[in-house]
Amino acid sequence: MDRVKIYSKYDLTTNMNINNIINFTNNFNYEIEEYNINDVLEYFNIIKFSKDNEIKERIINETNKKFDEVLKIIQRRIGKFNGKNKESFLSLYNEVDFIYREDFFELIKRDDILNNIKDLDFEELLNNPNFHYNLILKHEKIVKKFDEIITKYMIEDSECAEIIIGKYIESENVNLRYLGMVINFPNKFKELNISDKIKLKAKGRYIQESNKIFKNSTGIETEVEVTYDKNQEEPVIYSVDKNICRVSVSRKWIEGNLDFNTLLNNFIYIFSFFDMQMRLSLVSNLSEIGSSERHILLEDSYNYYCKNK
């Protein structure tokens, strides 16, 4: 028989799970004394199902009213099992079926179990290769009790950065600049690799927040257009048409003047790498940036203009 697992009342598996509970109740073994952690977690899910009055009424009607009696028995079995294993409850984690891992931690947050968990046992759990931080971060009581240990381990684990970024994306107040940094983060750093899933999530939130900003107002659209014209006689032509800034560089000029002196002058007079006093216009020091530009620039280590502080 398939195990009972609740996801949501409106999940596609709900009807199947109700039928499983009905079969479980009609074939319930009143005599057994030994049951494992997965049996207990199944009992736990059955009890959660029973809290919905509509579902409970249906099960009662199809089990000749045996369900209420069964509920009382499995509640006692859960209490007995917890009492018997409260000193070593975390050691049962490796025996837990994949579908019940979240329920395992929901059961742990009960005071009778949580208060008996030792720090060393919890650290051993964090080192378990089958453990993921998302399983406990949703449980405030667990996080508060082992706050220092969780913080220590998360700081040492680079994969946790993605969890933190994901939580930020879901938070109420997000900054469009930071979302843009997540979206455009290059996958070239061994220390941190932001997954495509997180980037897609950030992009969705970026679009959502952008739409809010421009919902009741119009923005100012600007464009910059750079072209290399092979038939243009003038070395460079600048023009502005409404909000479109155009720069047209003569490919014919560049290909026809390949001597070293002219090539160097192209960087001065065409590409404007230097101003009229021959000072490099590409700012590289923080001290050379204006106050308004400081607030515009994105302050990240991979596309940050101010590398020399």
Side-chain angles (χ1 to χ4, degrees), residues 3-4 34-47 74-82 85 89 92 100 103-104 107 110 113:
R3 291 280 192 185
V4 175
E34 295 296 327
Y35 29 88
N36 59 42
I37 181 62
N38 293 300
D39 295 328
V40 167
L41 292 172
E42 183 176 31
Y43 298 160
F44 186 57
N45 276 268
I46 291 172
I47 291 170
I74 63 176
Q75 285 174 335
R76 288 198 297 269
R77 287 181 181 179
I78 291 174
K80 182 179 178 181
F81 185 89
N82 291 351
N85 295 279
F89 206 86
L92 301 171
Y100 287 145
D103 299 297
F104 180 77
L107 198 59
R110 292 185 172 190
I113 299 176

Side-chain angles (χ1 to χ4, degrees), residues 56-68:
K56 184 177 181 180
E57 185 178 354
R58 177 183 164 186
I59 297 171
I60 289 174
N61 290 336
E62 297 194 34
T63 58
N64 295 319
K65 300 183 179 180
K66 286 174 57 179
F67 188 53
D68 280 331

